[in-house]
Structures are given as C-alpha cells and as structure tokens.
Amino acid sequence: MVDKFTGEQLNRTFDEVFKQTDRASAIVSSSLLEELLERLILAFLIDNEKTKNNLFDGMAPLSTMSAKINVAYHLGLINKNEYEDLKIIKNIRNDFAHSFETINFETQRIKNKCIRLKVLTSTNPPKDAMDSIKNTKTFFQINTTLLASLLYYHLSQTEHLKPYKYKSEDNDKEKRENN
C-alpha cells in the first residue's frame, strides 16, 4: 500500500522548510501537510490495496487538498482548529504558487491569512516563546510544523475501519449453521 512515513523524514522536511525562500516554504509545508492528510485518511479507511488509486490518484474524489481537508474533518480525524488552519495554509500555498508578482510573508494579504492561524496559539505557548517569533514567516513555519506534528501523531493513533457487515449476513450464517 503506502510506505510508512517516519519521524526522521518529517524532521528532514522541517529542516528544509526553515531554509527555504518564502514561496518554497509555503509550498513545501503545504505539500507535507497534504501528504500527511492523505496518509491519515488511508490509515482510517478499510485496508484495501486499491483505495489509494480509487480515491486519491488522478481525478479521483480525494485528489485535491481541499477534498482531503474536508473528508478528514468530517470523519473526525482532525479537529476544528486543524481544519481551519489547513484551509488557510492551502490558500496561502495557492497565493504563492499562482502569483506572478513578488510576494512574501510580509505581503499584506499573506500576513492577514497567517494571523488567522490558530494551532500554535491554541496551545497557549509561553509569552516569551511567542515574543521570540520576530516575523510572519517564522510564525507560519512554527505553526505549520506543529500542525504537521499533530497530523503525524493522529496518524500513529489511527486504526483501519473494519469492512461493514450487514445484520442479514449474521442471520444467513446462523441459518446455514442450523441446517
């Protein structure tokens, strides 16, 4: 099915995110989050080798980040703050990916979106930790790193659904056994 995603891979990606330009940082961060979302959903769904192709690849129903965010939230795999932040980060990624102008994390429309990110502030970090964050890019990177860590944790705690079994199947089995 899907290769296991390790903490070491996650840390290497975080290291890369913190070294990148604003545009690359936003795009790589978003790609990491999208990959973790896909793995989280796959870890929850019934274990079937065709699930990835049927749901995630090409023009499949969960091939977009938006679809993955919505499904993960509505399946109860992520909470409301994570859901909201993922939507904001997807929009920030789109701004960077589709803009021909020079933009960065201090561009007002990007900054306005970053200010709405909640995962980091909802953890009630110490005031001196928050005061040490000197710019919007660093806030985005730390918030995104925390969000990726949470998704990675959710992934480690998720179990596959069992295939649905109709009540009539039990009755049919019981009838066969009694005959």
Side-chain angles (χ1 to χ4, degrees):
M1 192 140 136
V2 179
D3 294 336
K4 186 169 173 56
F5 195 84
T6 67
E8 183 180 317
Q9 288 171 302
L10 192 63
N11 288 334
R12 280 197 311 265
T13 305
F14 291 154
D15 289 343
E16 182 180 336
V17 164
F18 278 88
K19 294 175 188 172
Q20 296 299 321
T21 63
D22 289 17
R23 187 179 304 264
S25 183
I27 293 169
V28 171
S29 295
S30 179
S31 294
L32 171 63
L33 293 169
E34 185 172 4
E35 176 70 20
L36 288 167
L37 270 175
E38 182 173 313
R39 288 170 181 267
L40 179 60
I41 295 166
L42 281 167
F44 180 72
L45 297 176
I46 61 171
D47 193 9
N48 181 313
E49 63 187 47
K50 294 183 181 183
T51 302
K52 183 167 176 10
N53 289 340
N54 291 340
L55 294 178
F56 295 95
D57 292 344
M59 296 299 290
L62 300 180
S63 62
T64 67
M65 187 170 185
S66 288
K68 290 171 189 144
I69 293 167
N70 286 322
V71 165
Y73 177 66
H74 292 288
L75 288 174
L77 299 173
I78 59 175
N79 68 35
K80 186 148 178 82
N81 282 343
E82 295 161 348
Y83 169 73
E84 294 293 335
D85 276 15
L86 285 162
K87 290 191 324 182
I88 293 167
I89 291 165
K90 177 198 60 83
N91 289 332
I92 291 169
R93 181 216 46 204
N94 287 348
D95 285 345
F96 277 106
H98 299 291
S99 177
F100 294 110
E101 64 186 89
T102 302
I103 60 173
N104 58 45
F105 282 102
E106 298 307 319
T107 301
Q108 198 58 52
R109 75 175 190 263
I110 302 295
K111 195 172 192 171
N112 290 345
K113 290 175 184 176
C114 288
I115 290 168
R116 295 185 0 241
L117 294 170
K118 301 175 189 166
V119 167
L120 177 59
T121 55
S122 70
T123 64
N124 296 318
K127 183 180 177 343
D128 57 330
M130 289 302 290
D131 289 345
S132 70
I133 299 173
K134 299 297 182 200
N135 58 48
T136 309
K137 180 181 181 181
T138 303
F139 177 77
F140 173 85
Q141 291 170 325
I142 292 171
N143 193 87
T144 304
T145 301
L146 177 58
L147 182 54
S149 298
L150 290 167
L151 293 176
Y152 184 74
Y153 175 75
H154 296 333
L155 178 59
S156 73
Q157 301 299 305
T158 301
E159 294 181 12
H160 285 291
L161 285 173
K162 303 291 184 231
Y164 188 77
K165 188 171 146 184
Y166 292 94
K167 290 180 183 179
S168 63
E169 289 175 3
D170 286 338
N171 292 337
D172 292 344
K173 182 180 176 187
E174 188 178 312
K175 285 178 187 174
R176 284 191 304 270
E177 289 172 358
N178 289 333
N179 288 333

